[in-house]
């Protein structure tokens, strides 16, 4: 298990939000890394996955733009030195950006401990994969929503199942030359692909180092409309739990919710977002971190000082527990198995 996932496991075992916030406050005053940067360098996608907002033609009109490399260098100078993690690709497809390998290398220039790329994988030639590994990519995350051709190509519109399998093969071969590169599979579970989970070993096999199982949530006005989690809950002990056990036996890190959290996800529409607010930094062509943050003239430190960020963190750690309404999607409490 990599150092980053050891940190995640430790974080999952600390149940007190106050203790976590006090830890973040301490890291802040000591000028240590603690933010996670979630970066969409281009707001576009070549797929129209049915569970994603890119399947909504009206929503797609609002997602436009590309950050040029000069702007990315300025952002890096302002924020990358405080990043514990850089995730490239959040809601869009990062392989559409022509400077992807340079972005990874830039992250390593700022000594970011963990750099991850999340992609559908369709545009990743073997040469590009090798270039990213050489630049220092720590983890490549491939999203898949089906383990048969029919389901994969139905849910991942514009995708090709055989190309997906070839990408997995290429990654496996490159990992022999770059053993520190890890492959993570993100599988969003719905009622149409739940029963395909046992095929995981046949399709992904020994390629995989990390597996994340994500029960479906409503993300915008997507083409997919079945968000009922009752069958996923009912099948947890027969499908999901054995898969988690197999991952443990094979030495594969598995991020999966506990059974009870699936019901919480469906019923509880509020969340304590203090940790997210303290550590989450989203960057895209439409904005950088905070609405009033100017990466051309400010740094993380100058902005934090101006807004008394240390005091805010301490006040959040010691104050009342707020519950924010969640309208679209919310983070789950994943166990790091």
């Amino acid at each position: 298990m990599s150092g980053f996932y050891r940190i995640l496991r430790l974080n999952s075992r600390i149940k007190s939000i106050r203790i976590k916030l006090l830890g973040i406050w301490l890291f802040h005053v000591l000028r240590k890394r603690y933010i996670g940067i979630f970066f969409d360098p281009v707001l576009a996608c070549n797929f129209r996955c049915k569970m994603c907002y890119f399947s909504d033609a009206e929503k797609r009109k609002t997602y436009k733009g590309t950050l040029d490399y000069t702007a990315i260098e300025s952002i890096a100078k302002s924020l990358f030195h405080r990043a514990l993690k850089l995730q490239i690709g959040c809601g869009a497809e990062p392989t559409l950006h022509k400077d992807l390998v340079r972005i990874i290398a830039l992250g390593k220039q700022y000594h970011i401990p963990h750099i991850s790329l999340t992609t559908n994988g369709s545009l990743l030639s073997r040469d590009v994969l090798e270039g990213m590994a050489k630049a220092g990519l720590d983890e490549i995350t491939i999203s898949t929503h089906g383990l048969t051709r029919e389901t994969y190509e139905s849910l991942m519109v514009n995708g090709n199942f055989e190309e997906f399998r070839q990408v997995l093969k290429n990654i496996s071969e490159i990992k022999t030359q770059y053993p520190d590169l890890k492959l993570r599979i993100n599988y969003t579970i719905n009622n149409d692909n739940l029963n395909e989970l046992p095929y995981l070993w046949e399709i992904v096999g020994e390629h995989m180092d990390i597996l994340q199982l994500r029960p479906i949530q409503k993300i915008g006005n997507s083409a997919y409309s079945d968000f009922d989690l009752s069958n996923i809950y009912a099948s947890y002990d027969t499908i999901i739990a054995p898969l988690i056990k197999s991952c443990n036996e094979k030495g594969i890190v598995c991020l999966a919710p506990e059974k009870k959290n699936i019901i919480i996800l469906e019923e509880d529409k509020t969340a304590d977002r203090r940790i997210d607010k303290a550590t989450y930094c989203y960057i895209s062509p439409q904005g950088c971190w905070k609405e009033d943050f100017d990466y051309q003239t400010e740094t993380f430190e100058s902005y934090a000082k101006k807004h008394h960020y240390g005091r805010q963190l301490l006040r959040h750690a010691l104050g009342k527990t707020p519950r924010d309404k969640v309208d679209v999607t919310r983070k789950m409490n994943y166990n790091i198995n």
Side-chain angles (χ1 to χ4, degrees):
M1 183 183 293
S2 69
F4 177 74
Y5 282 96
R6 289 192 183 95
I7 292 172
L8 286 184
R9 176 176 282 180
L10 176 62
N11 179 66
S12 71
R13 290 177 176 175
I14 299 173
K15 302 305 180 183
S16 170
I17 298 293
R18 293 187 189 279
I19 290 175
K20 292 179 183 180
L21 285 166
L22 285 171
I24 292 169
W25 169 78
L26 184 61
F27 272 53
H28 179 79
V29 297
L30 294 176
R31 292 179 171 246
K32 301 295 185 181
R33 298 176 183 269
Y34 68 87
I35 64 172
I37 294 180
F38 296 80
F39 186 24
D40 277 323
V42 55
L43 286 177
C45 189
N46 58 328
F47 278 20
R48 299 291 180 260
C49 296
K50 290 181 179 177
M51 292 184 286
C52 175
Y53 43 69
F54 271 100
S55 65
D56 177 3
E58 290 303 312
K59 190 69 173 179
R60 282 200 306 274
K61 295 176 183 178
T62 68
Y63 283 90
K64 294 180 180 179
T66 301
L67 278 167
D68 62 46
Y69 188 71
T70 302
I72 293 169
E73 286 184 306
S74 296
I75 291 169
K77 186 176 181 181
S78 294
L79 295 171
F80 278 18
H81 60 290
R82 298 303 291 266
L84 185 64
K85 171 188 177 179
L86 171 62
Q87 178 177 311
I88 307 168
C90 304
E93 179 50 52
T95 59
L96 292 168
H97 199 284
K98 64 182 179 65
D99 292 311
L100 186 56
V101 173
R102 295 177 74 192
I103 295 170
I104 294 166
L106 184 64
K108 283 303 175 185
Q109 180 183 320
Y110 282 88
H111 307 290
I112 297 178
H114 187 82
I115 299 180
S116 176
L117 175 79
T118 300
T119 173
N120 59 46
S122 65
L123 300 177
L124 291 175
S125 67
R126 199 183 189 289
D127 287 344
V128 170
L129 283 166
E130 191 166 359
M132 294 192 303
K134 187 176 181 179
L137 185 67
D138 296 289
E139 176 184 86
I140 181 165
T141 300
I142 304 290
S143 300
T144 180
H145 308 319
L147 294 166
T148 63
R149 178 192 295 274
E150 180 182 9
T151 303
Y152 180 92
E153 294 184 0
S154 172
L155 290 174
M156 303 187 74
V157 178
N158 295 341
N160 181 289
F161 189 61
E162 291 308 314
E163 290 179 357
F164 162 68
R165 299 196 69 174
Q166 183 60 51
V167 167
L168 294 179
K169 181 181 178 182
N170 291 341
I171 293 171
S172 185
E173 291 174 356
I174 288 168
K175 283 172 62 181
T176 62
Q177 185 179 356
Y178 297 92
D180 291 337
L181 177 65
K182 304 302 180 185
L183 171 63
R184 171 167 157 172
I185 298 294
N186 276 4
Y187 194 91
T188 300
I189 310 170
N190 62 33
N191 287 322
D192 291 311
N193 65 20
L194 171 65
N195 291 325
E196 294 185 6
L197 276 172
Y199 304 157
L200 188 75
W201 306 118
E202 175 189 348
I203 301 302
V204 181
E206 301 305 315
H207 306 297
M208 179 174 61
D209 301 288
I210 304 106
L211 171 66
Q212 182 171 16
L213 301 173
R214 308 172 66 176
I216 186 173
Q217 297 188 60
K218 183 176 175 58
I219 303 177
N221 294 318
S222 59
Y224 196 83
S225 59
D226 184 359
F227 302 102
D228 180 18
L229 300 178
S230 57
N231 189 42
I232 296 172
Y233 177 83
S235 302
Y236 191 95
D237 295 330
T238 56
I239 295 179
I240 297 175
L243 187 58
I244 295 171
K245 182 180 179 182
S246 293
C247 285
N248 289 336
E249 293 171 350
K250 294 174 183 291
I252 294 169
V253 177
C254 184
L255 288 75
E258 293 181 17
K259 185 176 182 179
K260 64 182 181 181
N261 281 334
I262 295 175
I263 295 302
I264 292 172
L265 178 67
E266 191 162 61
E267 294 178 349
D268 187 4
K269 300 304 180 184
T270 65
D272 184 341
R273 298 185 61 238
R274 286 177 292 173
I275 298 292
D276 290 347
K277 288 178 179 179
T279 62
Y280 182 79
C281 174
Y282 179 66
I283 300 168
S284 80
Q286 295 182 346
C288 180
W289 190 30
K290 308 289 186 180
E291 287 186 6
D292 58 343
F293 177 69
D294 181 1
Y295 64 82
Q296 299 283 6
T297 61
E298 294 182 288
T299 65
F300 180 91
E301 287 77 17
S302 65
Y303 182 88
K305 183 178 181 180
K306 181 170 67 175
H307 292 272
H308 307 291
Y309 214 51
R311 292 184 203 170
Q312 289 184 41
L313 286 169
L314 195 58
R315 186 167 63 249
H316 289 160
L318 301 177
K320 295 181 179 179
T321 301
R323 302 287 293 182
D324 293 340
K325 188 176 184 296
V326 179
D327 295 320
V328 179
T329 184
R330 59 168 294 184
K331 292 187 177 181
M332 293 196 69
N333 292 318
Y334 287 95
N335 280 350
I336 317 297
N337 300 287

